[in-house]
Amino acid sequence: MIIVRLKGGLGNQMLQYAAGKAAALRCGSQLKLDVSNLYSKITNDTPRFYELDAFKLEAEIATEKELQKINPPFKKLFRKIFRKITGKNYLVCDPDILKARDNSYLEVVWPCEKYFADFREQIFSDFQLKKPLSQSGQSIKEKILKSKNSISIHLRRGDYASHKTYKSWHGLCSPSYYQKAVDYILNETKAETKKAPVVFVFSDEIEWAKNNLILPAELTEIVYVSDEKIPAYEEIHLMSLCHHHVIANSTFSWWGAWLDPKSAKIVVAPRQWVADSSVDTKDVLPNTWVSL
């Protein structure tokens, strides 16, 4: 059995599941999910809950009895069965996770496609939506599919902007980053289409995006997608339908870009994934993505 601890929001839970699923497939084991860290009761923390039930993946929740095998309540009476892998640097691929054996507990798993790239088709299949899109989501999907050169843009704010600790660690992508990123895609695709692409904007503070996002004047249509009627998991799916992507320093839009199967896609990501430039983030972005 492989048990992976889920922590954080939807994008992080997807990364943790994917790494755990791949580890289980490598050693021919069963995957179970530890959700005990969700539903945080810490008053100054962002509330989190289990969000993977929107997808077609199959994974059982680890029982309390199974979790006791990781941290036995009475060490003299219980033998510690599971090997705990906590990760040495969460933004760099940890070889111990790639070599995880049966009866491993994966505690820290963050952005790195190396954990599950060899099971790409399986992960794509697992993250298919269970239910049809909402009416609002379907309307956006139709607009995206009609556009021959669409660009998704994601602005991550929320607790990145309001929570002192998160802001100092993650930092925020500036409006100029988005302008440069869109300029890059426009220049790269200029020979492919005579019509400017339709831009689809996603954000947890969509009004802020409307008032502060600076985009090239040549764009003829900008669609602000995010709405309370469209669930988060639908937004990731809608991002993946676009032709090109400008992501934030966020696992949410990381997945929106990664789940796009088009080989000709351009993905632009921030070079500085966290505020501290001395932190090694070399494994966060796939090799084909562009950092600015």
Side-chain angles (χ1 to χ4, degrees), residues 46 103 156:
T46 303
N103 293 333
R156 173 68 158 88

Side-chain angles (χ1 to χ4, degrees), residues 13 27 31 33 51 57 65 85 91 115 123 133 140 154 168 170 174 185 204 207 209 236 241 250 261 278 280 289:
Q13 291 180 37
C27 61
L31 173 66
L33 308 177
E51 299 187 67
L57 57 86
K65 185 176 182 180
I85 304 175
L91 289 171
Y115 291 137
I123 302 305
L133 293 175
I140 296 296
H154 178 233
S168 64
H170 293 287
S174 67
I185 294 175
D204 50 4
E207 291 302 319
I236 288 180
L241 299 177
S250 164
S278 68
D280 189 351
W289 293 10

Side-chain angles (χ1 to χ4, degrees), residues 104-211:
S104 291
Y105 177 79
L106 309 185
E107 190 170 22
V108 178
V109 180
W110 296 95
C112 177
E113 73 163 354
K114 293 178 183 178
Y115 291 137
F116 47 85
D118 46 344
F119 295 100
R120 185 179 181 85
E121 296 305 317
Q122 177 69 56
I123 302 305
F124 266 97
S125 176
D126 286 355
F127 287 143
Q128 295 299 305
L129 298 182
K130 279 183 182 177
K131 299 178 180 179
L133 293 175
S134 62
Q135 185 175 352
S136 297
Q138 182 62 33
S139 176
I140 296 296
K141 177 180 178 178
E142 291 170 4
K143 289 183 180 180
I144 293 173
L145 296 181
K146 286 179 182 178
S147 173
K148 295 182 179 180
N149 194 22
S150 54
I151 301 175
S152 77
I153 296 179
H154 178 233
L155 288 85
R156 173 68 158 88
R157 291 185 58 78
D159 53 13
Y160 277 26
S162 62
H163 193 291
K164 184 178 179 181
T165 302
Y166 293 172
K167 184 176 182 179
S168 64
W169 169 248
H170 293 287
L172 293 165
C173 294
S174 67
S176 64
Y177 157 71
Y178 290 100
Q179 186 175 24
K180 292 175 183 176
V182 174
D183 277 335
Y184 177 87
I185 294 175
L186 291 177
N187 289 331
E188 290 294 309
T189 59
K190 194 168 291 183
E192 301 172 14
T193 177
K194 296 179 181 179
K195 187 177 180 181
V198 179
V199 171
F200 294 86
V201 180
F202 301 78
S203 179
D204 50 4
E205 289 187 14
I206 199 65
E207 291 302 319
W208 190 97
K210 291 177 182 178
N211 294 326

Side-chain angles (χ1 to χ4, degrees), residues 2-24 26 31-34 38 49-52 55 57 59 89-94 97-98 106-120 122-124 126-127 156 160 170 236 247-259 273 283-286 289:
I2 297 288
I3 298 179
V4 62
R5 184 178 76 160
L6 298 187
K7 181 180 180 181
L10 177 58
N12 287 345
Q13 291 180 37
M14 291 171 72
L15 281 164
Q16 292 146 15
Y17 167 83
K21 178 71 173 183
R26 284 190 197 99
L31 173 66
K32 291 207 173 183
L33 308 177
D34 174 8
L38 303 178
F49 53 91
Y50 181 68
E51 299 187 67
L52 298 181
F55 302 113
L57 57 86
N89 178 344
Y90 86 100
L91 289 171
V92 176
C93 183
D94 185 348
I97 292 175
L98 293 172
L106 309 185
E107 190 170 22
V108 178
V109 180
W110 296 95
C112 177
E113 73 163 354
K114 293 178 183 178
Y115 291 137
F116 47 85
D118 46 344
F119 295 100
R120 185 179 181 85
Q122 177 69 56
I123 302 305
F124 266 97
D126 286 355
F127 287 143
R156 173 68 158 88
Y160 277 26
H170 293 287
I236 288 180
I247 71 171
N249 54 336
S250 164
T251 58
F252 189 82
S253 47
W254 189 101
W255 275 111
W258 195 89
L259 288 172
W273 193 259
D283 289 331
V284 170
L285 305 180
W289 293 10

Side-chain angles (χ1 to χ4, degrees), residues 213-227:
L213 187 60
I214 302 170
L215 294 175
E218 63 192 276
L219 295 174
T220 56
E221 185 175 3
I222 301 172
V223 179
Y224 291 90
V225 176
S226 298
D227 183 283

